[in-house]
Amino acid sequence: MAGSAPTAGEYIVHHLGHLTNTGKPQSAIIDFSVINLDTLFWSVSLGLLTIFVLWLAARKATSGVPGRFQGLVEMVVELVEDQSKGIVHGNRTFIAPLALTVFVWIVFMNAMDLIPVDLIPMGWGQLALALGLVNDSHDAYMRVVATADLNGAMGMALGVLALMLYYNIKIKGIGGFVHELFCAPFGSHPALWLPNLGLNIIEFVAKTVSLGMRLFGNMYAGELVFMLIALLGATATTFGFIGHIIAGSVWAIFHILIVLLQAFIFMMLTLVYIGQAHEGH
């Protein structure tokens, strides 16, 4: 790609490449021998930002008339609290704050998709070139939407799976949980133990996979649309420039809904799955 403008295919492939521990872009969606450093960096950084924002809101909270920032945070807190109260029938001392953190964290990660697609990757390319990390800025890779990486989305889904198992054991005890695995939903007859266990394992796997894939699929598709719109602006024509501005603005406004909706869905399903762990078949 050095010395000549990339084709449309090369442009998209380059933007879909990850900064990895091997120094080469990841060629497969999931490769356990490769660590996507950009996904780790942005997810951890935005996680710390989430903690800071929530801490700042708690620190500045007053009993008087709230300001805009406090009012916004209180609205989100009340939303999450109402949802958790209706879904989880038990102690929500940890669960409600967890749901709030998950919602805000995913909103921040999803919102990175609203930054112009070339802004951060081009800046990183120039920085990597100046630091001598690469010989050409096109050899530097940086994806900023951690939720558009299947590894990141599935990692969060696995975290929810761990919470499901934890609360199943905590609420029902090891014996009660094992009994439910083998005796529900068909009955406790020994001939039904294996079908019950198989169905319960499939249920846990399906919940985890669908939770991660739903978030990944929507954010990955949104990221691709932004790249296609950026290509429209690169045609160096009046039509392309005007079309880029209009299409980019319309899609960005619509994508705000996707950013919030996907975070809300992930949070709600997390509450539902943890709530189910508090109940027996």
Side-chain angles (χ1 to χ4, degrees), residues 37-51 105 109 146:
L37 299 178
D38 45 12
T39 297
L40 284 175
F41 173 79
W42 290 109
S43 58
V44 172
S45 299
L46 294 172
L48 294 175
L49 177 62
T50 299
I51 294 173
W105 186 26
M109 287 192 289

Side-chain angles (χ1 to χ4, degrees), residues 70-250:
Q70 181 180 337
L72 175 63
V73 173
E74 287 183 354
M75 183 176 64
V76 174
V77 170
E78 290 177 3
L79 170 67
V80 175
E81 176 63 20
D82 290 342
Q83 297 300 328
S84 65
K85 187 183 301 183
I87 295 173
V88 180
H89 305 295
N91 191 333
R92 293 175 290 104
T93 304
F94 173 77
I95 297 174
L98 170 70
L100 174 65
T101 303
V102 166
F103 176 74
V104 177
W105 186 26
I106 295 180
V107 166
F108 283 162
M109 287 192 289
N110 290 353
M112 294 297 291
D113 219 357
L114 300 174
I115 298 176
V117 293
D118 289 309
L119 184 61
I120 295 180
M122 288 182 64
W124 165 246
Q126 295 302 318
L127 178 60
L129 183 62
L131 295 175
L133 300 177
V134 294
N135 296 322
D136 190 287
S137 61
H138 291 298
D139 295 328
Y141 296 87
M142 176 63 66
R143 288 185 69 182
V144 301
V145 187
T147 47
D149 178 9
L150 183 56
N151 299 274
M154 286 304 301
M156 298 180 68
L158 288 173
V160 175
L161 173 63
L163 287 170
M164 284 191 285
L165 297 175
Y166 168 77
Y167 277 104
N168 268 293
I169 295 174
K170 179 181 179 181
I171 301 299
K172 303 165 186 173
I174 295 180
F177 180 48
V178 172
H179 179 271
E180 184 176 275
L181 286 177
F182 283 91
C183 298
F186 299 128
S188 58
H189 192 282
L192 299 175
W193 286 356
L194 287 181
N196 284 330
L197 177 62
L199 185 63
N200 281 302
I201 291 176
I202 291 173
E203 180 182 354
F204 279 114
V205 172
K207 287 178 179 178
T208 304
V209 173
S210 63
L211 186 63
M213 287 296 293
R214 181 183 293 102
L215 178 62
F216 159 73
N218 282 277
M219 299 315 300
Y220 186 82
E223 188 179 34
L224 283 177
V225 172
F226 276 119
M227 292 178 190
L228 293 174
I229 292 174
L231 283 173
L232 180 63
T235 57
T237 63
T238 302
F239 172 79
F241 177 76
I242 296 176
H244 170 256
I245 297 297
I246 296 175
S249 300
V250 171

Side-chain angles (χ1 to χ4, degrees), residues 17-75:
H18 285 279
L19 173 66
T20 66
N21 59 317
T22 63
K24 298 179 180 180
Q26 185 178 358
S27 57
I29 293 180
I30 295 182
D31 185 346
F32 293 106
S33 67
V34 178
I35 300 175
N36 292 344
L37 299 178
D38 45 12
T39 297
L40 284 175
F41 173 79
W42 290 109
S43 58
V44 172
S45 299
L46 294 172
L48 294 175
L49 177 62
T50 299
I51 294 173
F52 174 75
V53 169
L54 295 178
W55 170 83
L56 188 64
R59 180 173 175 268
K60 291 189 174 183
T62 62
S63 58
V65 179
R68 293 181 180 178
F69 175 64
Q70 181 180 337
L72 175 63
V73 173
E74 287 183 354
M75 183 176 64

Side-chain angles (χ1 to χ4, degrees), residues 79-92 95 99 264-279:
L79 170 67
V80 175
E81 176 63 20
D82 290 342
Q83 297 300 328
S84 65
K85 187 183 301 183
I87 295 173
V88 180
H89 305 295
N91 191 333
R92 293 175 290 104
I95 297 174
F264 180 77
I265 291 174
F266 195 99
M267 178 204 72
M268 286 295 296
L269 289 177
T270 299
L271 287 173
V272 169
Y273 295 157
I274 294 177
Q276 289 175 345
H278 286 69
E279 304 170 357

